[in-house]
Amino acid sequence: MSIEMRPVTPEEFDTFVTTTFIGFGAPVAPPEDTANTKALCEYDRTLASFDGEEIVSTTGIFSFDMTVPGGSLPTAGVTWVSVKPTHRRKGLLTTMMKQQLSDIRDRNEPIAALWASESVIYGRFGYGIAAQSSQIKIDRLRTKFASQPPATGSTRLLSREEAQATWPKVYDKVLPGQPGMYSRSETWWKHHTLPDKEDRRTNFGGRFYVLYEEDGEPLGYARYRTREGGGDGAPDGSLAVQELMAASDGAYTGLWSYLFGVDLIGTILAHNRRSDEPLYWMLSDPRRLERQQMDSLWVRVVDVPAALEARRYAADIDVVIDVRDSFCDWTEGRYQLEGGPDGATCKRTDADADITLSAADLGAVYMGGTHLSTLARAGRVEGEVDVLRRADAAFGWSPLPWTPEVF
């Protein structure tokens, strides 16, 4: 094959996104349905493979800052990764991923992150599972609280325009302390988070936007949809929470209390909830809260010293880490990491390694949600037990990483 790989132009966007739909096996949306996606496209950060004039593979990047333990980093949010079925198993994805990571390094972004459509794809490119999320479900009649922080504020429903004006203030309060969350621009809120698009797959209706306030200060919000249900005169609808964000414990209680009190609802569902969800511990009957864990954010360390120096550590650490990386040879090698809660230094060294791990496993532990000791027991990391335990204490972080929205 004679394949050209390059960014796409605005005139090529519709073909680009059509290829992405085909690669995912999804119905191809008409241009009017992809207008929000087009508004977010950073054309210079796209890559497409052209077989003649045909686009046969795609990827792109959203540029944002992502919260890491104790800090924040410029991050490449990888998205739109697809290969047409006619051109699979020909090395296009590998070539595309290598070029993209090289470009990320040239832009001085220490980490890349993505959501994986399949968990078997990205480990070979150095991405590791850095965060998990929960899908939760509960019968509304089983939502009695046993314990809850006091909620002294009030809730009110908003229009989408009012949500656009008030919700970013809440999000930006939570952002600095939550590893895995990323910055949202005004354009992002308008075209990604808040558009009221019909969900044809689930038959849920229009979105509702609710704000929690105390003394006029926005401290929390929730976005949800409802679906009618029931028979024989007994209403049994469903309520699906798209996002719930709380900048205080009272806001968290107030919003869940509101959602549990919506009439005509039998089942409440929520996707992309944090793996350490406090709600479980607030319920009188926590077993009724069905939880399904799955991987969410995958992280790839592109610049080891810059990434490790940007975050903070919960305990003192002084360790030599040997990073194995056959995909991006510029990260391979041994690094002396020394620091603690107030900061750290990381530099290359020829000293003997205390811990040996792959680039993917470094990505997995980077956000503080995965223990090195766990990976060692899984046969993925090498190191003495005591060294790994001390490193776990340093790398571990509270709260656990959480990315509330797919990008």
Side-chain angles (χ1 to χ4, degrees):
M1 291 188 301
S2 177
I3 298 292
E4 178 190 11
M5 188 172 293
R6 62 169 174 82
V8 296
T9 65
E11 294 73 26
E12 294 168 327
F13 177 81
D14 289 342
T15 305
F16 174 85
V17 78
T18 294
T19 299
T20 305
F21 279 119
I22 293 171
F24 277 90
V28 176
E32 59 269 21
D33 286 357
T34 60
N36 285 308
T37 304
K38 190 172 187 177
L40 295 169
C41 184
E42 300 176 46
Y43 290 97
D44 63 326
R45 307 215 69 180
T46 62
L47 274 178
S49 299
F50 289 79
D51 186 356
E53 296 184 356
E54 181 186 6
I55 296 178
V56 295
S57 74
T58 66
T59 188
I61 287 174
F62 296 125
S63 306
F64 46 65
D65 291 332
M66 179 169 281
T67 302
V68 302
S72 179
L73 270 181
T75 301
V78 176
T79 187
W80 300 333
V81 181
S82 73
V83 179
K84 273 188 175 179
T86 53
H87 286 71
R88 287 179 179 153
R89 314 296 182 260
K90 300 180 186 295
L92 291 181
L93 179 59
T94 299
T95 302
M96 194 165 56
M97 290 290 99
K98 188 175 286 289
Q99 179 62 54
Q100 186 179 66
L101 286 167
S102 179
D103 293 344
I104 292 168
R105 176 190 59 171
D106 292 344
R107 286 177 177 254
N108 296 316
E109 291 168 320
I111 60 173
L114 56 78
W115 290 71
S117 56
E118 290 186 274
S119 59
V120 298
I121 297 175
Y122 293 99
R124 66 182 187 269
F125 306 132
Y127 288 87
I129 301 171
Q132 297 188 56
S133 66
S134 292
Q135 175 178 306
I136 63 176
K137 177 181 177 181
I138 192 167
D139 182 337
R140 191 175 73 90
L141 299 180
R142 302 287 188 171
T143 56
K144 181 181 178 181
F145 288 131
S147 173
Q148 61 192 97
T152 59
S154 59
T155 55
R156 60 187 175 97
L157 287 168
L158 306 179
S159 67
R160 185 161 62 93
E161 291 72 24
E162 290 173 315
Q164 172 87 39
T166 57
W167 286 10
K169 300 172 186 177
V170 177
Y171 187 89
D172 290 344
K173 285 187 176 85
V174 180
L175 176 64
Q178 179 57 65
M181 281 179 57
Y182 56 85
S183 58
R184 290 176 178 172
S185 66
E186 182 179 352
T187 301
W188 188 271
W189 278 99
K190 181 178 181 180
H191 293 286
H192 187 80
T193 303
L194 291 174
D196 189 7
K197 298 178 291 185
E198 181 183 358
D199 191 335
R200 297 182 179 90
R201 293 173 299 173
T202 61
N203 296 319
F204 275 85
R207 287 178 175 172
F208 294 87
Y209 308 88
V210 60
L211 179 71
Y212 175 92
E213 299 171 294
E214 292 183 5
D215 298 323
E217 181 184 4
L219 290 176
Y221 65 79
R223 186 180 81 239
Y224 66 95
R225 282 176 165 166
T226 58
R227 180 175 61 194
E228 292 182 326
D232 299 325
D236 186 26
S238 298
L239 184 153
V241 181
Q242 267 74 51
E243 183 168 291
L244 184 152
M245 194 66 58
S248 70
D249 293 339
Y252 185 83
T253 298
L255 288 166
W256 280 114
S257 295
Y258 168 89
L259 294 167
F260 290 164
V262 176
D263 288 334
L264 310 182
I265 297 299
T267 303
I268 295 173
L269 311 99
H271 300 275
N272 277 354
R273 294 307 307 166
R274 60 178 73 244
S275 57
D276 54 349
E277 191 74 51
L279 180 63
Y280 178 80
W281 302 96
M282 293 164 59
L283 295 168
S284 294
D285 192 357
R287 191 176 295 177
R288 298 293 181 173
L289 186 70
E290 301 177 27
R291 299 178 294 172
Q292 181 179 348
Q293 294 279 102
M294 66 178 298
D295 60 280
S296 55
L297 188 73
W298 292 61
V299 166
R300 211 293 180 197
V301 176
V302 181
D303 183 332
V304 175
L308 293 181
E309 289 179 356
R311 59 156 293 170
R312 296 295 179 261
Y313 299 86
D316 291 341
I317 187 169
D318 186 353
V319 67
V320 175
I321 301 173
D322 188 0
V323 179
R324 304 287 175 83
D325 193 347
S326 60
F327 196 69
C328 295
D329 56 6
W330 65 82
T331 71
E332 180 150 321
R334 279 168 281 173
Y335 299 85
Q336 177 80 42
L337 174 62
E338 184 176 1
D342 296 327
T345 61
C346 181
K347 58 185 178 181
R348 287 189 178 269
T349 182
D350 293 326
D352 292 339
D354 299 305
I355 298 172
T356 301
L357 78 175
S358 69
D361 292 324
L362 180 61
V365 303
Y366 181 71
M367 289 287 183
T370 305
H371 285 161
L372 286 155
S373 297
T374 301
L375 298 177
R377 288 194 293 271
R380 300 175 63 106
V381 169
E382 298 175 14
E384 296 295 330
V385 171
D386 289 345
V387 173
L388 293 172
R389 285 176 178 168
R390 290 195 296 271
D392 285 342
F395 272 89
W397 203 259
S398 180
L400 293 178
W402 174 51
T403 308
E405 181 184 48
V406 179
F407 53 82

